[in-house]
Amino acid sequence: MAIIETEAPLHEAHRDNHTHRDVNGGWLRPAVFGAMDGLVSNLALMTGVAGGTAGQHTVVISGLAGLAAGAFSMAAGEYTSVASQRELVEAELDVERRELRRHPKDEEAELAALYVSRDVDPGLAREVARQLSEDPEQALEIHAREELGIDPGDLPSPLVAAVSSFGSFALGALLPVLPYLLGASALWPAVLLALLGLFLCGAVVAKVTARSWWFSGLRQLALGGAAAGVTYALGMAFGVAVG
Protein backbone atom coordinates (compact mmCIF):
# COMPACT_ATOMS: atom_id res chain seq x y z
CA MET A 1 0.00 0.00 0.00
CA ALA A 2 1.49 3.32 -1.03
CA ILE A 3 2.07 5.95 1.62
CA ILE A 4 0.72 9.36 0.64
CA GLU A 5 2.68 12.27 2.03
CA THR A 6 0.43 14.99 3.42
CA GLU A 7 3.01 17.70 2.97
CA ALA A 8 5.00 18.00 -0.24
CA PRO A 9 8.65 19.01 0.13
CA LEU A 10 9.64 22.45 -1.10
CA HIS A 11 11.17 22.61 -4.53
CA GLU A 12 14.93 23.05 -4.19
CA ALA A 13 15.07 26.22 -6.31
CA HIS A 14 12.20 27.74 -4.36
CA ARG A 15 13.73 26.83 -1.00
CA ASP A 16 17.14 28.25 -1.89
CA ASN A 17 16.00 31.43 -3.64
CA HIS A 18 12.78 32.41 -1.89
CA THR A 19 14.33 35.05 0.35
CA HIS A 20 13.54 38.73 0.64
CA ARG A 21 15.44 41.89 1.42
CA ASP A 22 14.80 43.58 4.75
CA VAL A 23 12.18 46.04 3.52
CA ASN A 24 12.34 47.98 6.78
CA GLY A 25 16.06 48.53 6.33
CA GLY A 26 16.85 47.35 9.86
CA TRP A 27 19.63 49.40 11.44
CA LEU A 28 21.43 49.94 8.12
CA ARG A 29 18.95 52.31 6.53
CA PRO A 30 18.65 54.89 9.36
CA ALA A 31 22.40 54.73 10.03
CA VAL A 32 23.36 55.35 6.40
CA PHE A 33 20.75 58.06 5.87
CA GLY A 34 21.83 59.75 9.11
CA ALA A 35 25.41 59.79 7.86
CA MET A 36 24.32 61.17 4.48
CA ASP A 37 22.28 63.87 6.21
CA GLY A 38 25.34 64.91 8.18
CA LEU A 39 27.53 64.84 5.10
CA VAL A 40 25.24 66.90 2.89
CA SER A 41 24.24 69.47 5.50
CA ASN A 42 27.76 70.08 6.82
CA LEU A 43 29.34 70.09 3.36
CA ALA A 44 26.73 72.61 2.22
CA LEU A 45 27.30 74.73 5.32
CA MET A 46 31.07 74.78 4.89
CA THR A 47 30.97 75.51 1.16
CA GLY A 48 28.46 78.29 1.78
CA VAL A 49 30.75 79.88 4.38
CA ALA A 50 33.78 79.40 2.13
CA GLY A 51 31.89 80.94 -0.79
CA GLY A 52 31.43 84.07 1.29
CA THR A 53 35.24 84.47 1.18
CA ALA A 54 35.59 83.49 4.85
CA GLY A 55 39.01 82.40 6.05
CA GLN A 56 40.09 78.84 6.82
CA HIS A 57 39.56 79.29 10.57
CA THR A 58 35.96 80.42 10.08
CA VAL A 59 35.21 77.50 7.75
CA VAL A 60 36.58 74.97 10.27
CA ILE A 61 34.65 76.52 13.17
CA SER A 62 31.50 76.53 11.05
CA GLY A 63 32.00 72.86 10.22
CA LEU A 64 32.54 71.86 13.85
CA ALA A 65 29.58 73.94 14.97
CA GLY A 66 27.42 72.38 12.25
CA LEU A 67 28.52 68.92 13.35
CA ALA A 68 27.67 69.51 17.00
CA ALA A 69 24.42 71.39 16.38
CA GLY A 70 23.17 68.91 13.79
CA ALA A 71 24.09 65.81 15.81
CA PHE A 72 22.42 67.08 19.00
CA SER A 73 19.39 68.26 17.03
CA MET A 74 19.05 64.88 15.31
CA ALA A 75 19.39 63.03 18.62
CA ALA A 76 16.85 65.20 20.41
CA GLY A 77 14.39 65.05 17.54
CA GLU A 78 14.73 61.29 17.12
CA TYR A 79 14.37 60.67 20.86
CA THR A 80 11.23 62.80 21.08
CA SER A 81 9.73 61.28 17.95
CA VAL A 82 10.34 57.65 18.92
CA ALA A 83 9.34 58.23 22.56
CA SER A 84 6.07 59.86 21.51
CA GLN A 85 5.32 57.06 19.05
CA ARG A 86 6.11 54.41 21.67
CA GLU A 87 3.89 56.11 24.26
CA LEU A 88 1.03 56.20 21.76
CA VAL A 89 1.49 52.51 20.95
CA GLU A 90 1.64 51.55 24.63
CA ALA A 91 -1.55 53.50 25.30
CA GLU A 92 -3.32 51.63 22.50
CA LEU A 93 -1.99 48.33 23.81
CA ASP A 94 -3.40 49.16 27.25
CA VAL A 95 -6.81 49.74 25.63
CA GLU A 96 -6.62 46.39 23.86
CA ARG A 97 -5.42 44.65 27.03
CA ARG A 98 -8.40 46.00 29.00
CA GLU A 99 -10.84 44.92 26.31
CA LEU A 100 -9.38 41.41 26.28
CA ARG A 101 -9.78 41.23 30.04
CA ARG A 102 -13.30 42.70 30.20
CA HIS A 103 -14.85 41.33 27.00
CA PRO A 104 -12.86 38.25 25.96
CA LYS A 105 -15.71 36.68 23.97
CA ASP A 106 -16.32 39.87 21.99
CA GLU A 107 -12.61 40.12 21.17
CA GLU A 108 -12.58 36.46 20.14
CA ALA A 109 -15.57 37.04 17.87
CA GLU A 110 -13.87 40.12 16.43
CA LEU A 111 -10.78 38.07 15.59
CA ALA A 112 -12.90 35.35 13.98
CA ALA A 113 -14.73 37.95 11.90
CA LEU A 114 -11.39 39.30 10.72
CA TYR A 115 -10.35 35.87 9.44
CA VAL A 116 -13.73 35.38 7.81
CA SER A 117 -13.26 38.69 5.99
CA ARG A 118 -10.10 37.13 4.54
CA ASP A 119 -12.11 34.27 3.08
CA VAL A 120 -11.37 31.74 5.84
CA ASP A 121 -14.18 29.24 6.40
CA PRO A 122 -16.36 30.61 9.27
CA GLY A 123 -16.12 27.41 11.33
CA LEU A 124 -12.36 27.27 10.94
CA ALA A 125 -12.06 31.01 11.67
CA ARG A 126 -13.98 30.61 14.96
CA GLU A 127 -11.82 27.64 15.99
CA VAL A 128 -8.56 29.44 15.18
CA ALA A 129 -9.73 32.54 17.08
CA ARG A 130 -10.72 30.36 20.06
CA GLN A 131 -7.35 28.63 20.23
CA LEU A 132 -5.37 31.85 19.80
CA SER A 133 -7.44 33.54 22.53
CA GLU A 134 -6.66 30.90 25.17
CA ASP A 135 -3.37 32.63 25.99
CA PRO A 136 -3.99 36.32 26.95
CA GLU A 137 -0.51 37.48 25.91
CA GLN A 138 -0.74 35.67 22.60
CA ALA A 139 -4.19 37.12 22.06
CA LEU A 140 -2.86 40.62 22.73
CA GLU A 141 -0.02 40.08 20.27
CA ILE A 142 -2.39 38.81 17.56
CA HIS A 143 -4.87 41.66 18.03
CA ALA A 144 -2.04 44.22 18.05
CA ARG A 145 -0.65 42.90 14.81
CA GLU A 146 -3.98 42.56 13.09
CA GLU A 147 -5.62 45.80 14.29
CA LEU A 148 -2.65 48.13 14.91
CA GLY A 149 0.00 46.63 12.64
CA ILE A 150 2.60 46.46 15.42
CA ASP A 151 4.53 43.82 17.35
CA PRO A 152 4.27 44.48 21.12
CA GLY A 153 7.57 42.72 21.71
CA ASP A 154 9.50 44.76 19.17
CA LEU A 155 8.87 48.40 20.06
CA PRO A 156 11.71 50.82 19.19
CA SER A 157 13.88 52.26 21.95
CA PRO A 158 14.05 56.10 22.09
CA LEU A 159 17.55 55.97 23.61
CA VAL A 160 18.91 53.64 20.94
CA ALA A 161 17.34 55.80 18.23
CA ALA A 162 18.84 58.98 19.70
CA VAL A 163 22.34 57.54 20.16
CA SER A 164 22.42 55.97 16.68
CA SER A 165 21.17 59.20 15.07
CA PHE A 166 23.76 61.25 16.94
CA GLY A 167 26.60 58.89 15.99
CA SER A 168 25.70 58.47 12.32
CA PHE A 169 25.10 62.20 11.75
CA ALA A 170 28.33 63.15 13.55
CA LEU A 171 30.32 60.61 11.52
CA GLY A 172 28.98 61.96 8.26
CA ALA A 173 29.42 65.61 9.28
CA LEU A 174 33.01 64.91 10.33
CA LEU A 175 34.18 63.99 6.83
CA PRO A 176 34.19 67.54 5.35
CA VAL A 177 35.98 68.86 8.46
CA LEU A 178 38.57 66.08 8.64
CA PRO A 179 40.98 67.39 5.95
CA TYR A 180 41.20 70.74 7.76
CA LEU A 181 41.89 68.99 11.06
CA LEU A 182 44.67 67.03 9.35
CA GLY A 183 46.34 70.20 8.06
CA ALA A 184 44.61 71.05 4.77
CA SER A 185 44.38 74.77 4.01
CA ALA A 186 42.05 74.69 0.99
CA LEU A 187 38.43 73.70 0.49
CA TRP A 188 38.88 71.17 -2.31
CA PRO A 189 40.22 68.25 -0.18
CA ALA A 190 37.17 68.57 2.09
CA VAL A 191 34.84 68.59 -0.92
CA LEU A 192 36.53 65.57 -2.51
CA LEU A 193 36.42 63.53 0.70
CA ALA A 194 32.78 64.46 1.31
CA LEU A 195 31.76 63.56 -2.25
CA LEU A 196 33.56 60.23 -1.94
CA GLY A 197 31.69 59.61 1.31
CA LEU A 198 28.38 60.45 -0.39
CA PHE A 199 29.10 57.99 -3.19
CA LEU A 200 29.97 55.24 -0.70
CA CYS A 201 26.85 55.93 1.38
CA GLY A 202 24.71 55.77 -1.73
CA ALA A 203 26.37 52.50 -2.73
CA VAL A 204 25.66 51.03 0.71
CA VAL A 205 22.00 52.09 0.47
CA ALA A 206 21.76 49.81 -2.58
CA LYS A 207 21.91 46.88 -0.14
CA VAL A 208 18.34 47.68 0.97
CA THR A 209 17.00 48.69 -2.46
CA ALA A 210 16.69 47.10 -5.86
CA ARG A 211 19.06 49.60 -7.48
CA SER A 212 22.65 48.86 -8.49
CA TRP A 213 25.40 50.18 -6.21
CA TRP A 214 26.85 52.52 -8.84
CA PHE A 215 23.46 54.07 -9.63
CA SER A 216 22.71 54.75 -5.96
CA GLY A 217 26.22 56.05 -5.41
CA LEU A 218 26.17 58.41 -8.38
CA ARG A 219 22.68 59.65 -7.51
CA GLN A 220 23.73 60.59 -3.98
CA LEU A 221 26.96 62.11 -5.31
CA ALA A 222 24.98 64.29 -7.74
CA LEU A 223 22.48 65.43 -5.11
CA GLY A 224 25.14 66.24 -2.53
CA GLY A 225 27.33 67.95 -5.10
CA ALA A 226 24.38 70.06 -6.27
CA ALA A 227 23.60 71.11 -2.69
CA ALA A 228 27.23 72.10 -2.11
CA GLY A 229 27.40 74.00 -5.41
CA VAL A 230 24.21 75.96 -4.74
CA THR A 231 25.24 76.97 -1.22
CA TYR A 232 28.72 77.96 -2.45
CA ALA A 233 27.11 80.23 -5.07
CA LEU A 234 24.75 81.67 -2.45
CA GLY A 235 27.68 82.25 -0.13
CA MET A 236 29.52 84.17 -2.85
CA ALA A 237 26.42 86.23 -3.60
CA PHE A 238 25.77 87.05 0.04
CA GLY A 239 29.45 87.76 0.60
CA VAL A 240 29.49 90.31 -2.20
CA ALA A 241 26.20 91.84 -1.05
CA VAL A 242 27.27 92.15 2.57
CA GLY A 243 30.73 93.29 1.64
Side-chain angles (χ1 to χ4, degrees):
M1 181 177 179
I3 298 176
I4 300 176
E5 293 188 10
T6 58
E7 199 170 311
L10 292 176
H11 190 279
E12 184 177 348
H14 176 79
R15 185 182 65 245
D16 295 340
N17 298 316
H18 192 68
T19 57
H20 297 283
R21 293 180 177 89
D22 179 6
V23 295
N24 292 319
W27 61 269
L28 179 63
R29 185 179 182 278
V32 172
F33 277 98
M36 284 198 293
D37 191 10
L39 257 170
V40 173
S41 61
N42 218 29
L43 175 63
L45 172 64
M46 292 174 64
T47 53
V49 173
T53 65
Q56 174 187 345
H57 182 72
T58 303
V59 174
V60 174
I61 294 299
S62 298
L64 292 174
L67 185 157
F72 280 112
S73 175
M74 283 284 292
E78 195 71 14
Y79 184 91
T80 302
S81 174
V82 174
S84 299
Q85 180 67 22
R86 184 178 179 121
E87 289 163 2
L88 174 61
V89 169
E90 289 174 342
E92 291 300 313
L93 288 175
D94 285 340
V95 171
E96 193 64 37
R97 192 177 285 109
R98 285 196 302 270
E99 289 301 307
L100 284 167
R101 186 173 61 252
R102 295 173 179 173
H103 308 288
K105 290 301 180 181
D106 290 338
E107 289 294 310
E108 182 181 319
E110 184 179 289
L111 190 59
L114 176 66
Y115 292 139
V116 170
S117 71
R118 296 180 178 177
D119 296 328
V120 177
D121 179 78
L124 178 58
R126 287 192 295 271
E127 179 60 21
V128 170
R130 184 191 67 77
Q131 292 188 28
L132 291 176
S133 299
E134 288 178 351
D135 181 354
E137 288 304 314
Q138 178 177 254
L140 175 64
E141 182 177 335
I142 296 296
H143 280 274
R145 286 179 174 173
E146 296 290 352
E147 297 176 24
L148 304 176
I150 59 172
D151 183 351
D154 191 29
L155 299 183
S157 166
L159 183 60
V160 170
V163 171
S164 61
S165 294
F166 181 95
S168 60
F169 185 97
L171 182 62
L174 178 63
L175 279 185
V177 188
L178 193 58
Y180 284 103
L181 299 180
L182 295 178
S185 56
L187 180 64
W188 67 265
V191 173
L192 286 181
L193 183 59
L195 293 180
L196 175 61
L198 286 169
F199 179 84
L200 292 176
C201 283
V204 171
V205 169
K207 292 180 67 67
V208 292
T209 67
R211 292 289 187 180
S212 60
W213 64 270
W214 59 266
F215 177 88
S216 296
L218 289 176
R219 178 174 59 185
Q220 194 56 42
L221 175 64
L223 293 173
V230 168
T231 53
Y232 185 82
L234 289 174
M236 290 184 65
F238 293 152
V240 171
V242 173

